[in-house]
Coordinates of all heavy atoms in Angstrom, one line a residue:
Chain A
F1214 N -1.5 -3.2 -7.7 CA -2.6 -4.0 -8.2 C -3.8 -3.1 -8.6 O -4.6 -3.5 -9.5 CB -3.1 -5.1 -7.2 CG -4.1 -4.6 -6.2 CD1 -5.4 -5.1 -6.3 CD2 -3.7 -3.8 -5.2 CE1 -6.3 -4.7 -5.3 CE2 -4.7 -3.4 -4.2 CZ -6.0 -3.9 -4.3
Y1270 N -2.5 -5.4 -12.6 CA -3.3 -6.2 -11.6 C -2.6 -7.5 -11.4 O -2.3 -8.2 -12.3 CB -4.7 -6.4 -12.1 CG -5.5 -7.3 -11.2 CD1 -6.1 -6.9 -10.1 CD2 -5.7 -8.6 -11.6 CE1 -6.9 -7.7 -9.3 CE2 -6.5 -9.5 -10.8 CZ -7.0 -9.0 -9.7 OH -7.8 -9.9 -8.9
M1272 N -2.6 -10.7 -7.9 CA -3.0 -10.9 -6.5 C -2.0 -11.8 -5.8 O -1.6 -12.8 -6.4 CB -4.4 -11.6 -6.4 CG -5.5 -10.8 -6.7 SD -5.7 -9.2 -5.8 CE -6.6 -9.7 -4.4
M1275 N -3.4 -15.3 -0.5 CA -4.1 -14.8 0.7 C -3.3 -14.9 1.9 O -3.2 -14.0 2.8 CB -5.4 -15.6 0.8 CG -6.4 -14.9 1.8 SD -7.8 -15.8 2.1 CE -8.5 -16.0 0.4
R1278 N -0.7 -12.1 2.3 CA -1.2 -10.9 2.7 C -1.6 -10.9 4.2 O -1.3 -9.9 4.9 CB -2.5 -10.5 1.9 CG -2.2 -10.2 0.4 CD -3.4 -9.9 -0.4 NE -3.9 -11.1 -1.0 CZ -5.2 -11.4 -1.2 NH1 -6.1 -10.6 -0.7 NH2 -5.6 -12.5 -1.7
P1392 N -13.7 -20.4 -4.4 CA -13.4 -19.2 -3.8 C -14.3 -18.8 -2.6 O -15.4 -19.2 -2.6 CB -13.5 -18.1 -4.9 CG -13.4 -18.9 -6.1 CD -13.9 -20.3 -5.9
F1393 N -13.7 -18.2 -1.6 CA -14.4 -17.9 -0.4 C -15.5 -16.9 -0.6 O -16.4 -16.8 0.2 CB -13.4 -17.3 0.7 CG -12.6 -18.3 1.3 CD1 -11.2 -18.2 1.2 CD2 -13.1 -19.3 2.0 CE1 -10.4 -19.1 1.8 CE2 -12.3 -20.3 2.6 CZ -10.9 -20.2 2.5
K1394 N -15.5 -16.2 -1.8 CA -16.6 -15.2 -2.0 C -17.9 -15.9 -2.3 O -19.0 -15.3 -2.1 CB -16.3 -14.3 -3.1 CG -16.0 -14.9 -4.4 CD -15.5 -13.9 -5.4 CE -15.1 -14.5 -6.7 NZ -14.3 -13.7 -7.6
L1395 N -17.9 -17.2 -2.7 CA -19.1 -17.9 -2.9 C -19.5 -18.5 -1.5 O -18.7 -18.7 -0.6 CB -18.9 -19.1 -3.9 CG -18.4 -18.6 -5.2 CD1 -18.0 -19.8 -6.1 CD2 -19.5 -17.8 -5.9
P1396 N -20.8 -18.8 -1.4 CA -21.3 -19.1 0.0 C -20.8 -20.4 0.5 O -20.8 -21.4 -0.2 CB -22.8 -19.1 -0.1 CG -23.1 -19.3 -1.6 CD -21.9 -18.7 -2.3
Chain B
C1469 N -13.4 1.3 -9.4 CA -14.3 2.0 -8.6 C -13.9 1.7 -7.1 O -13.2 0.8 -6.8 CB -15.7 1.4 -8.8 SG -16.4 1.7 -10.3
V1470 N -14.4 2.5 -6.2 CA -14.2 2.3 -4.8 C -15.1 1.1 -4.5 O -16.0 0.7 -5.1 CB -14.8 3.5 -4.0 CG1 -14.4 3.4 -2.6 CG2 -14.2 4.8 -4.6
T1471 N -14.7 0.4 -3.4 CA -15.3 -0.9 -3.1 C -16.8 -0.7 -2.7 O -17.5 -1.7 -2.6 CB -14.6 -1.6 -1.9 OG1 -14.3 -0.6 -0.9 CG2 -13.3 -2.2 -2.4
G1472 N -17.2 0.5 -2.5 CA -18.7 0.7 -2.2 C -19.0 0.8 -0.7 O -20.2 0.9 -0.4
V1473 N -18.0 0.6 0.1 CA -18.3 0.7 1.6 C -18.4 2.2 2.0 O -17.5 3.0 1.6 CB -17.2 0.0 2.4 CG1 -17.4 0.1 3.8 CG2 -17.1 -1.4 1.9
Y1488 N -8.9 -0.4 2.9 CA -9.9 -1.3 2.3 C -9.3 -2.2 1.3 O -10.0 -2.9 0.6 CB -11.1 -0.7 1.7 CG -11.9 0.1 2.7 CD1 -12.2 1.4 2.6 CD2 -12.4 -0.5 3.9 CE1 -12.9 2.1 3.5 CE2 -13.1 0.1 4.8 CZ -13.4 1.5 4.6 OH -14.1 2.2 5.6
D1489 N -7.9 -2.3 1.2 CA -7.3 -3.3 0.3 C -7.5 -4.7 0.8 O -7.5 -5.6 0.0 CB -5.8 -3.0 0.1 CG -5.6 -1.9 -0.8 OD1 -6.5 -1.5 -1.5 OD2 -4.4 -1.4 -0.9
N1490 N -7.6 -4.8 2.1 CA -7.7 -6.2 2.7 C -9.2 -6.5 3.1 O -9.4 -7.2 4.0 CB -6.9 -6.3 3.9 CG -5.4 -6.4 3.5 OD1 -5.0 -7.0 2.6 ND2 -4.6 -5.7 4.3
I1491 N -10.1 -5.9 2.4 CA -11.5 -6.0 2.8 C -12.0 -7.4 2.6 O -12.9 -7.9 3.3 CB -12.4 -5.0 2.0 CG1 -13.7 -4.9 2.7 CG2 -12.6 -5.4 0.6 CD1 -14.4 -3.6 2.5
G1492 N -11.4 -8.1 1.7 CA -11.8 -9.5 1.5 C -11.4 -10.4 2.7 O -12.2 -11.1 3.3
I1493 N -10.2 -10.2 3.1 CA -9.7 -11.1 4.3 C -10.4 -10.7 5.6 O -10.8 -11.5 6.3 CB -8.2 -10.8 4.5 CG1 -7.4 -11.1 3.2 CG2 -7.7 -11.8 5.5 CD1 -6.0 -10.7 3.3
G1495 N -13.2 -8.9 6.0 CA -14.6 -8.6 5.9 C -15.4 -9.7 5.4 O -16.5 -9.5 4.9
N1496 N -14.9 -11.0 5.5 CA -15.7 -12.1 5.1 C -16.1 -12.2 3.7 O -17.1 -12.8 3.3 CB -17.1 -12.1 5.9 CG -16.9 -12.9 7.2 OD1 -15.9 -13.6 7.4 ND2 -17.7 -12.6 8.2
W1497 N -15.3 -11.5 2.8 CA -15.5 -11.6 1.4 C -16.9 -11.2 0.9 O -17.4 -11.7 -0.1 CB -15.2 -13.1 0.8 CG -13.8 -13.4 1.0 CD1 -12.7 -13.1 0.3 CD2 -13.3 -14.2 2.2 NE1 -11.6 -13.6 0.8 CE2 -11.9 -14.2 2.0 CE3 -13.8 -14.7 3.3 CZ2 -11.0 -14.9 2.9 CZ3 -13.0 -15.4 4.2 CH2 -11.6 -15.4 4.0
E1498 N -17.5 -10.3 1.6 CA -18.9 -9.9 1.2 C -18.7 -8.9 0.1 O -19.5 -8.9 -0.9 CB -19.6 -9.3 2.4 CG -20.2 -10.3 3.3 CD -20.4 -9.7 4.7 OE1 -20.5 -8.5 4.8 OE2 -20.6 -10.5 5.6
V1499 N -17.7 -8.0 0.3 CA -17.5 -6.9 -0.8 C -16.3 -7.3 -1.5 O -15.3 -7.8 -1.0 CB -17.3 -5.6 -0.1 CG1 -17.1 -4.5 -1.1 CG2 -18.4 -5.3 0.9
Q1500 N -16.3 -7.1 -2.9 CA -15.2 -7.5 -3.7 C -14.6 -6.3 -4.3 O -15.2 -5.3 -4.5 CB -15.7 -8.4 -4.8 CG -16.3 -9.7 -4.3 CD -15.2 -10.6 -3.7 OE1 -14.1 -10.7 -4.2 NE2 -15.6 -11.3 -2.7
H1501 N -13.3 -6.4 -4.7 CA -12.7 -5.3 -5.4 C -13.3 -5.3 -6.8 O -13.4 -6.3 -7.5 CB -11.2 -5.6 -5.6 CG -10.4 -5.5 -4.3 ND1 -10.3 -4.3 -3.6 CD2 -9.7 -6.4 -3.6 CE1 -9.5 -4.5 -2.6 NE2 -9.2 -5.8 -2.5
Q1502 N -13.7 -4.0 -7.2 CA -14.3 -3.9 -8.5 C -13.3 -3.5 -9.6 O -13.4 -2.5 -10.3 CB -15.4 -2.9 -8.5 CG -16.6 -3.4 -7.6 CD -17.6 -2.3 -7.4 OE1 -17.7 -1.4 -8.2 NE2 -18.2 -2.4 -6.3
I1503 N -12.2 -4.3 -9.7 CA -11.2 -4.0 -10.7 C -11.3 -5.0 -11.8 O -11.4 -6.2 -11.5 CB -9.8 -4.0 -10.0 CG1 -9.8 -3.0 -8.9 CG2 -8.8 -3.6 -11.0 CD1 -8.5 -3.2 -8.0
M1504 N -11.2 -4.5 -13.0 CA -11.1 -5.5 -14.1 C -9.7 -6.1 -14.1 O -8.8 -5.4 -14.5 CB -11.3 -4.7 -15.4 CG -11.6 -5.5 -16.6 SD -13.2 -6.2 -16.5 CE -13.3 -6.7 -18.2

Side-chain angles (χ1 to χ4, degrees):
Chain A
F1214 85 108
Y1270 172 81
M1272 290 304 272
M1275 195 185 298
R1278 288 178 271 143
F1393 284 120
K1394 58 187 175 193
L1395 302 172
Chain B
C1469 292
V1470 189
T1471 45
V1473 179
Y1488 298 122
D1489 279 349
N1490 289 319
I1491 194 157
I1493 306 174
N1496 273 339
W1497 296 277
E1498 283 156 17
V1499 184
Q1500 299 291 324
H1501 291 297
Q1502 291 169 28
I1503 302 169
M1504 193 71 167

